[in-house]
Amino acid sequence: MKAWHVRVPGAVETRPLVQTEDPVPTPGHAELLLRVRACGVCRTDLHVAEGDLPVHKASVVPGHEVVGEVVAKGAGAGTGFAIGDRAGAAWLRDTCGKCRFCVRGAENLCPRSVYTGWDADGGYADYTTVPAAYALRLPDDYDDAELAPLLCAGIIGFRALRLAEVPPGGRLGIYGFGASAHLAAQVAIADGARVHVMTRGARARELARELGAASAQGSADTPPERLDAAILFAPAGELVPSALAALDGGGTLAVAGIHLTEIPPLDYQRHLFQERRLRSVTANTRADAMEFLRFAARHPLRVSVTRYPRSAADQALADLAADRVNGAAVLV
């Protein structure tokens, strides 16, 4: 099979991805083997490729928004999926199931958690494996390319939205408007929120308005009204003070990225007083994933997708880095 590997992490301009011919993997005892039908290109893949995240597996195959067809099963994979089923492999690949976090339902904080496309080879390939217990059932009314971004961008945006604690009918600010944000905005609007988008790209602002945002302006601009909650999707720490300053009393800013540039000094009175809160979003639980996918089945989402052939994974990653993708990039 063909697969893309991060040979040596480095700036995307140096083309850190290399395509090779690899043997088709054999599923482990409790794993499924998936023939990859589509794989999203996530900003976390960019952080893995460029070395913003430390190397966990040398020469890893990135990709953790995998839509695949089950073509083989390990002896212990159970009966949840049959050969020929469509299944999803997402960022969270495995947890210990025994630590204090796992037993209280916070498996996203498990210190022994492992991740697709970082600790184990992912979906920038013709085939990949996934533990059956972490494979996801997918809603029917989306094609493969539309489903792929739901498996990280959608799930993380959904968790970030819940952690931001937007009150009923509240005012939500979204900073950055890529794959995750354009899905989270639709969920928030469906829940009755008024959404204001701050993002640097003119095309992204246009998409935000098309999807029902009440306003869309530059990334450092002040929204037209005080916010009850905000989510920072852009990996730009310099936007944290602006987002906090835009919050009304008691508001929460949720930072949704796995990597963030340095946050400038905060002024207590301007940025945090009046019980404003700053919190991070760390991965997701399987419960988050299942809840979001049930929502997506009930409330059809418009998934803005730019499709690339799997042979152009390096170009897709470069386009994502340069903000040339409006919505989500997907390998098909």
Side-chain angles (χ1 to χ4, degrees), residues 56-274:
H56 279 195
K57 181 181 188 294
S59 195
V60 72
V61 176
H64 56 276
E65 297 178 324
V66 185
V67 176
E69 177 186 347
V70 179
V71 294
K73 300 171 57 176
T79 60
F81 290 90
I83 301 300
D85 283 352
R86 188 164 67 166
W91 177 237
L92 185 68
R93 181 182 176 88
D94 198 14
T95 58
C96 75
K98 300 175 182 178
C99 70
R100 65 190 184 280
F101 298 110
C102 286
V103 298
R104 75 182 194 211
E107 63 183 3
N108 59 307
L109 302 179
C110 174
R112 290 184 288 280
S113 56
V114 295
Y115 298 95
T116 310
W118 192 21
D119 297 286
D121 289 336
Y124 286 22
D126 295 330
Y127 294 86
T128 193
T129 62
V130 59
Y134 290 78
L136 297 171
R137 290 213 165 271
L138 304 173
D140 292 329
D141 294 331
Y142 297 84
D143 69 26
D144 296 334
E146 292 170 332
L147 279 171
L150 303 187
L151 295 176
C152 180
I155 294 167
I156 292 298
F158 188 77
R159 182 173 180 85
L161 190 57
R162 295 296 180 255
L163 292 181
E165 299 181 353
V166 187
R171 302 153 295 174
L172 172 68
I174 290 180
Y175 290 78
F177 204 73
S180 194
H182 94 285
L183 297 171
Q186 294 178 68
V187 176
I189 291 167
D191 282 345
R194 190 161 60 253
V195 173
H196 299 286
V197 171
M198 279 61 68
T199 192
R200 65 185 181 183
R203 290 175 61 210
R205 293 194 291 271
E206 180 181 352
L207 177 61
R209 296 186 190 99
E210 290 174 4
L211 293 175
S215 74
Q217 44 270 311
S219 56
D221 290 343
T222 301
E225 60 182 334
R226 304 289 286 180
L227 304 174
D228 296 304
I231 305 173
L232 176 59
F233 288 106
E238 65 271 18
L239 294 179
V240 169
S242 298
L244 286 170
L247 290 176
D248 209 348
T252 298
L253 169 62
V255 179
I258 192 173
H259 170 78
L260 191 70
T261 58
E262 186 173 349
I263 299 173
L266 299 177
D267 178 88
Y268 179 71
Q269 294 293 331
R270 185 180 177 203
H271 299 128
L272 293 171
F273 193 56
Q274 294 189 326

Side-chain angles (χ1 to χ4, degrees), residues 25-57:
T26 300
H29 175 72
E31 291 183 342
L32 308 174
L33 176 64
L34 303 182
R35 180 179 65 81
V36 176
R37 292 164 50 156
C39 184
V41 179
C42 179
R43 189 161 290 275
T44 300
D45 301 335
L46 184 63
H47 295 319
V48 169
E50 293 199 310
D52 296 324
L53 299 179
V55 174
H56 279 195
K57 181 181 188 294

